[in-house]
Amino acid sequence: VITNLPERQMVRLSRSRSVGDSVSNTPLERALVEVVVNGSTRLTLRESQPGTYLLPENFRGRVGDRYQLRFQTEQGTFYESTEEAMVSVPPIARVY
């Protein structure tokens, strides 16, 4: 999740697998992680703790910009998301 809030932006990566009737999540460590902004600007993320990767400290998302997550596991497998645009929050019309 990327937001325009004044807080540290991060990405958490984990592997999920079924174990009997439950699901086990294991942090994905030592990956090479980047966010691509508007198809051209690449931001390299830094792993701060197992499976948690931080964007640069001053980074904030901007409404209208497009973002894509790309990462490569320690074993060399490459993944990338589709590109998504940040939209503005719609006004609240009613509260019940």
Side-chain angles (χ1 to χ4, degrees), residues 21-68:
D21 291 339
S22 62
V23 175
S24 169
N25 290 312
T26 304
L28 186 60
E29 300 180 62
R30 296 177 292 282
L32 300 174
V33 183
E34 69 180 10
V35 169
V36 181
V37 182
N38 294 324
S40 61
T41 304
R42 294 176 181 212
L43 303 172
T44 301
L45 283 68
R46 177 182 60 80
E47 188 171 16
S48 64
Q49 56 186 347
T52 301
Y53 298 85
L54 300 176
L55 281 123
E57 193 165 339
N58 62 347
F59 176 82
R60 299 290 177 270
R62 290 189 340 184
V63 172
D65 282 355
R66 299 178 327 275
Y67 300 95
Q68 181 183 38

Side-chain angles (χ1 to χ4, degrees), residues 9-24:
Q9 306 291 306
M10 69 181 72
V11 172
R12 289 193 176 104
L13 299 176
S14 64
R15 290 182 189 226
S16 300
R17 65 184 176 122
S18 295
V19 180
D21 291 339
S22 62
V23 175
S24 169

Side-chain angles (χ1 to χ4, degrees), residues 62-87:
R62 290 189 340 184
V63 172
D65 282 355
R66 299 178 327 275
Y67 300 95
Q68 181 183 38
L69 175 66
R70 296 178 180 174
F71 67 94
Q72 184 173 353
T73 66
E74 190 175 33
Q75 294 76 28
T77 306
F78 180 77
Y79 298 90
E80 67 180 14
S81 71
T82 56
E83 192 176 59
E84 293 191 36
M86 179 180 281
V87 296

Side-chain angles (χ1 to χ4, degrees), residues 87-93:
V87 296
S88 62
V89 176
I92 298 173

